[in-house]
Amino acid sequence: MSEALKENVPQKAEKAAKPQKLVGVKGMNDILPPDSARWEWLEGQVRTLMARYAYRNVRLPIVEPTALFVRGLGEVTDIVEKEMYSFEDRLNGEQLTLRPEGTAGLVRSVVEHNLLYEGGKRLYYMGPMFRHERPQRGRYRQFHQIGAEVLGFGGPEVDAELILLANDLWKVLGLKDVRLELNSLGQPAERQAHRAALIAHLEKHSDVLDEEAKRRLHSNPLRILDTKNPDMQSVVEAAPRLLDFLGESSLAHFNAVKAILDANGVAYSINPRLVRGMDYYNLTVFEFITTSLGSQGTICGGGRYDYLIEQIGGKSSPAVGWALGVERVLELIKEQGEALPDLTPDVYAIIPETAALPVAMQLLQALRACGVSAQMHAGSGEGMGSFKSQFKKADSSGARFALIFGADELAQGLVAVKSLRDGAGVQRTESLDTVVTWAHSLQSTL
Ligand code: ATP
Ligand code: MG
């Protein structure tokens, strides 16, 4: 054995070092109870609403080929330039990336499986996304999006339908204080004309442009419009507006979306500087924004991406979609003081002797089968613990009733039922044969 290896072998007399505590990756959060109940509740609301709009769920891989995002999102975007978790597969050298967003993968899948063969599709997804950003409130390195995408339809009615869907979601989630901003990015030729005018304008003011803006001046000048640099605000405000470069058909599309929103009482404001972070957008773009979350106030963003499918190798097809940030939506719900869903069990089973476990657990199974949520006391491995400690646990569980499986009662085919909340302390016995009926009758009040 080499000297170096010998050094790593613990000497017999030495006590083995305690393994070091491992912690999670910065910006990647554990979602634990009771918070996870909010997540489940939100996901349930989303599923119900999506079904009501006839959108179908897709579940896609978290890892995709890096080229998909480089080609799909655009090389000169924040995500591709600096935020992707990319790595080489050690076994076969493939270049892979943890998905930073959901649209590119969804389009890849739709093309790969020829899903548009029999006509348009309305789809949605939920899941984690990964971006190497500076972690702060509302901005994480692993975060979650819910996205809705409509592929194969070019009309403004689906843009409007998606906005109505998101707007309905805020209603079912009880969100207040969310506003909608709308813009149109036109078509590539219109953008080309605007781009030339924009570059000319920005070049005239090159003295106030920051490094990033200078770098993007010729590669992605549109993105300069949504700079947060206060020193550049007056220049970008005076910049030529893309809306003024739209032709008749782009304007008609934009006006049709607005007319449907107007008819449905959805308020919005036009923000000519709304450009969105990915290159793939055209025509309608929109964001839902709240002022209650500080600077991370955009909870949902989306738009039309009629050229992405072709860019990813599919047959040219129009598409439109949005994605919302689950953490930000939940943060807003919390901010508004919404109560957590009730996680307390209906009954807590106190089991003084291990001998009672088979009967008790059989009964608990019957209760659960009829919809009662039942938490069983679990012992240390050396018996069930004292009655007093079990009772304490029952109390702190928040259960409405304790079921006490005492040996004397069980011998007579009975179980004691003790109220823990309303009329706390009231105790009576139920026959083992009727306790399920009793619990069932309680269901309406539990
Ligand atoms: P931002 O301007 O806040 O960085 P974005 O334009 O990069 O947002 P999109 O790519 O449009 O965001 O993603 C849609 C939504 O996903 C955002 O509106 C936001 O709610 C959420 N989101 C984006 N990045 C993060 C992140 N790092 N952490 C948490 N949520 C995020
Ligand atoms: Mg971003």
Side-chain angles (χ1 to χ4, degrees):
M1 194 186 282
S2 77
E3 284 306 310
L5 276 177
K6 265 187 209 157
E7 263 176 38
N8 289 329
V9 178
Q11 300 301 303
K12 259 195 191 131
E14 256 177 52
K15 218 171 139 197
K18 200 170 164 222
Q20 214 183 350
K21 190 164 84 179
L22 294 171
V23 295
V25 178
K26 190 172 171 204
M28 305 204 179
N29 301 315
D30 301 318
I31 299 153
L32 305 173
D35 269 346
S36 52
R38 278 193 212 271
W39 285 72
E40 290 189 309
W41 169 80
L42 180 141
E43 287 159 3
Q45 297 293 328
V46 169
R47 284 196 187 95
T48 308
L49 192 65
M50 291 293 178
R52 211 167 284 164
Y53 277 78
Y55 283 54
R56 305 294 171 229
N57 184 238
V58 290
R59 292 153 191 257
L60 302 172
I62 282 167
V63 178
E64 294 277 2
T66 302
L68 173 67
F69 302 112
V70 176
R71 228 204 284 171
L73 312 192
E75 248 161 291
V76 195
T77 53
D78 282 346
I79 295 180
V80 172
E81 278 183 335
K82 50 190 184 204
E83 295 173 1
M84 293 206 300
Y85 282 93
S86 298
F87 56 97
E88 186 185 290
D89 184 321
R90 272 195 296 171
L91 300 181
N92 60 11
E94 270 183 277
Q95 296 302 320
L96 303 175
T97 291
L98 300 185
R99 62 181 186 194
E101 57 95 61
T103 304
L106 182 131
V107 168
R108 193 265 311 139
S109 172
V110 163
V111 170
E112 188 172 333
H113 302 288
N114 206 10
L115 291 191
L116 297 182
Y117 179 69
E118 346 137 314
K121 285 273 177 298
R122 291 171 161 88
L123 304 171
Y124 77 97
Y125 59 83
M126 313 190 191
M129 305 294 160
F130 302 83
R131 296 183 193 175
H132 195 104
E133 300 198 72
R134 190 170 68 76
Q136 54 197 290
R137 183 186 186 197
R139 194 175 293 286
Y140 310 101
R141 291 183 174 168
Q142 172 169 338
F143 63 99
H144 296 74
Q145 286 186 339
I146 295 174
E149 318 270 2
V150 180
L151 304 102
F153 302 107
E157 63 277 9
V158 285
D159 310 24
E161 178 182 275
L162 275 160
I163 293 174
L164 292 176
L165 166 56
N167 199 60
D168 264 359
L169 185 58
W170 316 144
K171 279 192 218 157
V172 283
L173 299 179
L175 297 190
K176 296 174 261 298
D177 180 33
V178 179
R179 66 172 201 279
L180 168 62
E181 289 190 355
L182 214 54
N183 191 19
S184 174
L185 298 182
Q187 297 292 11
E190 294 155 352
R191 263 157 82 165
Q192 215 44 47
H194 168 259
R195 182 189 154 103
L198 179 61
I199 294 177
H201 169 82
L202 293 170
E203 272 175 343
K204 255 193 287 167
H205 299 93
S206 58
D207 49 321
V208 289
L209 299 187
D210 58 21
E211 282 312 307
E212 181 160 279
K214 279 188 189 141
R215 204 164 41 80
R216 287 185 167 174
L217 186 56
H218 292 279
S219 54
N220 198 350
L222 204 56
R223 282 295 284 167
I224 299 175
L225 290 182
D226 78 344
T227 176
K228 291 181 175 109
N229 183 346
D231 300 336
M232 286 170 52
Q233 291 310 309
S234 59
V235 174
V236 292
E237 257 154 48
R241 292 165 14 128
L242 183 43
L243 278 177
D244 298 327
F245 287 74
L246 298 192
E248 215 174 292
S249 131
S250 293
L251 276 179
H253 188 102
F254 195 40
N255 289 334
V257 174
K258 290 192 282 182
I260 298 170
L261 298 181
D262 290 337
N264 283 279
V266 178
Y268 54 84
S269 58
I270 309 293
N271 176 359
R273 284 172 50 197
L274 178 63
V275 294
R276 312 273 309 122
M278 275 69 99
D279 279 359
Y280 52 57
Y281 290 110
N282 68 303
L283 292 175
T284 322
V285 288
F286 54 89
E287 283 187 354
F288 287 94
I289 303 166
T290 172
T291 44
S292 311
L293 293 179
S295 51
Q296 266 58 253
T298 304
I299 58 167
C300 174
R304 201 160 252 295
Y305 52 94
D306 293 333
Y307 303 97
L308 181 62
I309 300 181
E310 194 173 10
Q311 207 165 314
I312 284 176
K315 188 167 148 273
S316 167
S317 261
V320 51
W322 52 246
L324 67 80
V326 179
E327 283 83 355
R328 292 190 195 173
V329 168
L330 286 170
E331 188 77 24
L332 184 57
I333 292 175
K334 235 188 206 167
E335 189 76 18
Q336 294 177 348
E338 221 47 49
L340 268 174
D342 184 11
L343 289 185
T344 53
D346 301 325
V347 303
Y348 189 101
I350 293 176
I351 307 164
E353 304 292 337
T354 48
L357 278 168
V359 179
M361 289 181 75
Q362 202 189 349
L363 189 83
L364 294 179
Q365 290 304 92
L367 291 177
R368 290 169 183 141
C370 78
V372 174
S373 111
Q375 181 173 343
M376 177 186 73
H377 185 81
S380 62
E382 288 150 23
M384 299 300 288
S386 72
F387 181 83
K388 198 171 151 204
S389 73
Q390 291 200 39
F391 194 77
K392 255 196 184 151
K393 289 262 165 56
D395 221 18
S396 63
S397 77
R400 193 167 151 201
F401 295 98
L403 293 184
I404 306 160
F405 292 88
D408 294 347
E409 284 90 351
L410 280 183
Q412 300 168 56
L414 299 172
V415 59
V417 179
K418 195 172 179 106
S419 293
L420 297 175
R421 284 195 256 154
D422 323 318
V426 177
Q427 185 170 326
R428 47 169 224 292
T429 51
E430 282 282 339
S431 135
L432 286 173
D433 300 328
T434 58
V435 69
V436 174
T437 321
W438 162 79
H440 199 56
S441 73
L442 279 176
Q443 273 301 286
S444 54
T445 58
L446 274 171

